[in-house]
Amino acid sequence: MIDWRAIDTVLLDMDGTLLDLHFDSHFWLEHLPRRYAELHRLDAAAQDALKARIIGEQGTLNWYSLSYWSDELNVDIVALKREVQHLIGLRSDALDFLKWLKRSHPRVVLATNADRASLALKLPLTGLEAYLDAIVSSADLGVAKEAQEFWFELQEVEPFDPARTLFIDDNPHVLESAREYGIRHLLGIKQPDSSRPEKALEEFIALDRFAAILPDERPPH
């Protein structure tokens, strides 16, 4: 599926690609609305209203900003995330894939919409940093990956040849943005959240396991 001789740079998403999206889905759509209502002594209707408000920010920097939601909701988002941090974990064979990349030639860059507070929580718990050459957050660049400007800004801080770059992300809107920019090798993720059904990605090849794109390194018989 991938000719690794044609790849110099691997750009990887974090949540839903390397990490199981179950933590984020549970936190934003269940844990946070419930704890918000408890802390502010509100009813179930307030939980539903908050869910709608969160979903309404999808695709923007606000959606991904822990400080934004802390300020908006008057709660400590990081502290609330720590209450369910046991749910943070790697997707099935993500670690094997990262180890293989480490042994191989590409430059491996985490290109994530997660802000620095989210990274500070997740990186120590997952050990991802040991396998990455660089980490770029959309919060650092001032624009989310869904926007074209992100890729131009990324090029400034982490130069890459779009024709020789592989980008893997679970978000079809982000993949569309990367394709528009000219990134040649694009892959999605079939099941970002292990607790939810697989997603259909109509315009992109989606991975079930990373092993599907690794070369067969078994010795010939």
Tab-separated table of all heavy atoms in Angstrom, residues 43-66:
chain	number	residue	atom	x	y	z
A	43	ASP	N	-29.275	21.073	36.188
A	43	ASP	CA	-30.078	19.884	35.864
A	43	ASP	C	-29.598	19.213	34.577
A	43	ASP	O	-28.641	19.647	33.934
A	43	ASP	CB	-31.565	20.250	35.750
A	43	ASP	CG	-31.827	21.317	34.691
A	43	ASP	OD1	-30.932	21.566	33.858
A	43	ASP	OD2	-32.939	21.892	34.686
A	44	ALA	N	-30.293	18.138	34.209
A	44	ALA	CA	-29.914	17.361	33.025
A	44	ALA	C	-29.986	18.188	31.747
A	44	ALA	O	-29.220	17.961	30.804
A	44	ALA	CB	-30.798	16.127	32.900
A	45	ALA	N	-30.888	19.139	31.692
A	45	ALA	CA	-31.018	19.989	30.503
A	45	ALA	C	-29.738	20.781	30.254
A	45	ALA	O	-29.342	21.016	29.108
A	45	ALA	CB	-32.199	20.943	30.653
A	46	ALA	N	-29.061	21.162	31.339
A	46	ALA	CA	-27.801	21.897	31.204
A	46	ALA	C	-26.717	21.008	30.592
A	46	ALA	O	-25.885	21.478	29.811
A	46	ALA	CB	-27.349	22.408	32.565
A	47	GLN	N	-26.764	19.710	30.919
A	47	GLN	CA	-25.803	18.778	30.329
A	47	GLN	C	-26.007	18.684	28.823
A	47	GLN	O	-25.051	18.712	28.056
A	47	GLN	CB	-25.965	17.388	30.948
A	47	GLN	CG	-25.610	17.312	32.426
A	47	GLN	CD	-25.617	15.875	32.925
A	47	GLN	OE1	-25.051	14.984	32.296
A	47	GLN	NE2	-26.276	15.648	34.051
A	48	ASP	N	-27.254	18.566	28.407
A	48	ASP	CA	-27.563	18.472	26.975
A	48	ASP	C	-27.158	19.750	26.246
A	48	ASP	O	-26.634	19.709	25.132
A	48	ASP	CB	-29.062	18.197	26.771
A	48	ASP	CG	-29.460	16.814	27.272
A	48	ASP	OD1	-28.587	15.930	27.332
A	48	ASP	OD2	-30.646	16.635	27.613
A	49	ALA	N	-27.399	20.891	26.895
A	49	ALA	CA	-27.041	22.176	26.286
A	49	ALA	C	-25.533	22.287	26.119
A	49	ALA	O	-25.040	22.800	25.104
A	49	ALA	CB	-27.566	23.331	27.143
A	50	LEU	N	-24.787	21.789	27.111
A	50	LEU	CA	-23.331	21.853	27.032
A	50	LEU	C	-22.817	20.944	25.919
A	50	LEU	O	-21.911	21.329	25.168
A	50	LEU	CB	-22.699	21.462	28.366
A	50	LEU	CG	-21.163	21.427	28.374
A	50	LEU	CD1	-20.568	22.754	27.900
A	50	LEU	CD2	-20.649	21.083	29.768
A	51	LYS	N	-23.386	19.749	25.792
A	51	LYS	CA	-22.973	18.841	24.710
A	51	LYS	C	-23.148	19.527	23.353
A	51	LYS	O	-22.272	19.467	22.491
A	51	LYS	CB	-23.799	17.558	24.750
A	51	LYS	CG	-23.422	16.597	25.853
A	51	LYS	CD	-24.285	15.346	25.756
A	51	LYS	CE	-24.252	14.545	27.036
A	51	LYS	NZ	-25.142	13.374	26.989
A	52	ALA	N	-24.301	20.174	23.168
A	52	ALA	CA	-24.574	20.861	21.904
A	52	ALA	C	-23.574	22.000	21.676
A	52	ALA	O	-23.110	22.229	20.554
A	52	ALA	CB	-26.002	21.397	21.903
A	53	ARG	N	-23.231	22.678	22.755
A	53	ARG	CA	-22.285	23.792	22.661
A	53	ARG	C	-20.891	23.288	22.278
A	53	ARG	O	-20.196	23.894	21.449
A	53	ARG	CB	-22.247	24.502	24.015
A	53	ARG	CG	-21.461	25.785	24.044
A	53	ARG	CD	-21.682	26.444	25.387
A	53	ARG	NE	-20.724	27.498	25.625
A	53	ARG	CZ	-20.554	28.079	26.813
A	53	ARG	NH1	-21.292	27.700	27.832
A	53	ARG	NH2	-19.663	29.035	26.964
A	54	ILE	N	-20.480	22.176	22.884
A	54	ILE	CA	-19.172	21.590	22.573
A	54	ILE	C	-19.124	21.162	21.109
A	54	ILE	O	-18.179	21.484	20.381
A	54	ILE	CB	-18.892	20.395	23.508
A	54	ILE	CG1	-18.636	20.887	24.945
A	54	ILE	CG2	-17.691	19.583	23.006
A	54	ILE	CD1	-18.607	19.786	25.986
A	55	ILE	N	-20.153	20.448	20.672
A	55	ILE	CA	-20.201	19.967	19.285
A	55	ILE	C	-20.202	21.136	18.307
A	55	ILE	O	-19.616	21.066	17.224
A	55	ILE	CB	-21.431	19.061	19.084
A	55	ILE	CG1	-21.226	17.748	19.871
A	55	ILE	CG2	-21.673	18.766	17.603
A	55	ILE	CD1	-22.474	16.896	19.994
A	56	GLY	N	-20.838	22.256	18.708
A	56	GLY	CA	-20.907	23.434	17.856
A	56	GLY	C	-19.560	24.083	17.579
A	56	GLY	O	-19.413	24.839	16.617
A	57	GLU	N	-18.568	23.782	18.422
A	57	GLU	CA	-17.225	24.356	18.233
A	57	GLU	C	-16.305	23.436	17.427
A	57	GLU	O	-15.129	23.748	17.231
A	57	GLU	CB	-16.576	24.641	19.599
A	57	GLU	CG	-17.229	25.760	20.388
A	57	GLU	CD	-16.859	27.145	19.892
A	57	GLU	OE1	-16.106	27.247	18.897
A	57	GLU	OE2	-17.338	28.121	20.476
A	58	GLN	N	-16.821	22.297	16.970
A	58	GLN	CA	-15.982	21.332	16.242
A	58	GLN	C	-15.241	21.981	15.083
A	58	GLN	O	-15.803	22.787	14.342
A	58	GLN	CB	-16.835	20.178	15.707
A	58	GLN	CG	-16.911	19.013	16.664
A	58	GLN	CD	-17.644	17.831	16.058
A	58	GLN	OE1	-18.761	17.970	15.592
A	58	GLN	NE2	-17.021	16.675	16.064
A	59	GLY	N	-13.969	21.606	14.941
A	59	GLY	CA	-13.182	22.099	13.817
A	59	GLY	C	-12.522	23.442	14.047
A	59	GLY	O	-11.783	23.923	13.195
A	60	THR	N	-12.757	24.048	15.225
A	60	THR	CA	-12.143	25.341	15.548
A	60	THR	C	-11.070	25.142	16.609
A	60	THR	O	-11.029	24.117	17.297
A	60	THR	CB	-13.184	26.338	16.091
A	60	THR	OG1	-13.618	25.893	17.401
A	60	THR	CG2	-14.396	26.420	15.170
A	61	LEU	N	-10.208	26.142	16.781
A	61	LEU	CA	-9.204	26.057	17.845
A	61	LEU	C	-9.856	25.979	19.213
A	61	LEU	O	-9.346	25.314	20.118
A	61	LEU	CB	-8.264	27.268	17.785
A	61	LEU	CG	-7.074	27.192	16.828
A	61	LEU	CD1	-6.184	28.412	17.030
A	61	LEU	CD2	-6.257	25.922	17.019
A	62	ASN	N	-11.011	26.661	19.384
A	62	ASN	CA	-11.708	26.613	20.676
A	62	ASN	C	-12.070	25.182	21.061
A	62	ASN	O	-11.967	24.795	22.224
A	62	ASN	CB	-12.993	27.449	20.630
A	62	ASN	CG	-12.715	28.938	20.648
A	62	ASN	OD1	-11.623	29.370	21.003
A	62	ASN	ND2	-13.701	29.725	20.278
A	63	TRP	N	-12.517	24.404	20.085
A	63	TRP	CA	-12.921	23.010	20.321
A	63	TRP	C	-11.808	22.223	21.002
A	63	TRP	O	-12.046	21.379	21.858
A	63	TRP	CB	-13.312	22.400	18.976
A	63	TRP	CG	-13.302	20.916	18.844
A	63	TRP	CD1	-12.308	20.150	18.312
A	63	TRP	CD2	-14.342	19.994	19.193
A	63	TRP	NE1	-12.668	18.817	18.314
A	63	TRP	CE2	-13.913	18.705	18.853
A	63	TRP	CE3	-15.616	20.145	19.770
A	63	TRP	CZ2	-14.682	17.564	19.058
A	63	TRP	CZ3	-16.378	19.010	19.970
A	63	TRP	CH2	-15.922	17.744	19.622
A	64	TYR	N	-10.568	22.528	20.633
A	64	TYR	CA	-9.421	21.772	21.123
A	64	TYR	C	-8.716	22.417	22.322
A	64	TYR	O	-7.766	21.848	22.857
A	64	TYR	CB	-8.390	21.598	19.990
A	64	TYR	CG	-8.941	20.911	18.770
A	64	TYR	CD1	-9.249	21.628	17.614
A	64	TYR	CD2	-9.152	19.534	18.754
A	64	TYR	CE1	-9.756	21.001	16.482
A	64	TYR	CE2	-9.665	18.904	17.624
A	64	TYR	CZ	-9.961	19.640	16.507
A	64	TYR	OH	-10.458	19.015	15.388
A	65	SER	N	-9.170	23.607	22.741
A	65	SER	CA	-8.457	24.376	23.752
A	65	SER	C	-8.985	24.115	25.163
A	65	SER	O	-10.128	24.448	25.486
A	65	SER	CB	-8.565	25.875	23.446
A	65	SER	OG	-8.063	26.638	24.521
A	66	LEU	N	-8.126	23.533	26.008
A	66	LEU	CA	-8.547	23.263	27.380
A	66	LEU	C	-8.727	24.558	28.166
A	66	LEU	O	-9.629	24.656	29.009
A	66	LEU	CB	-7.533	22.355	28.076
A	66	LEU	CG	-7.215	21.011	27.414
A	66	LEU	CD1	-6.529	20.074	28.402
A	66	LEU	CD2	-8.468	20.346	26.845
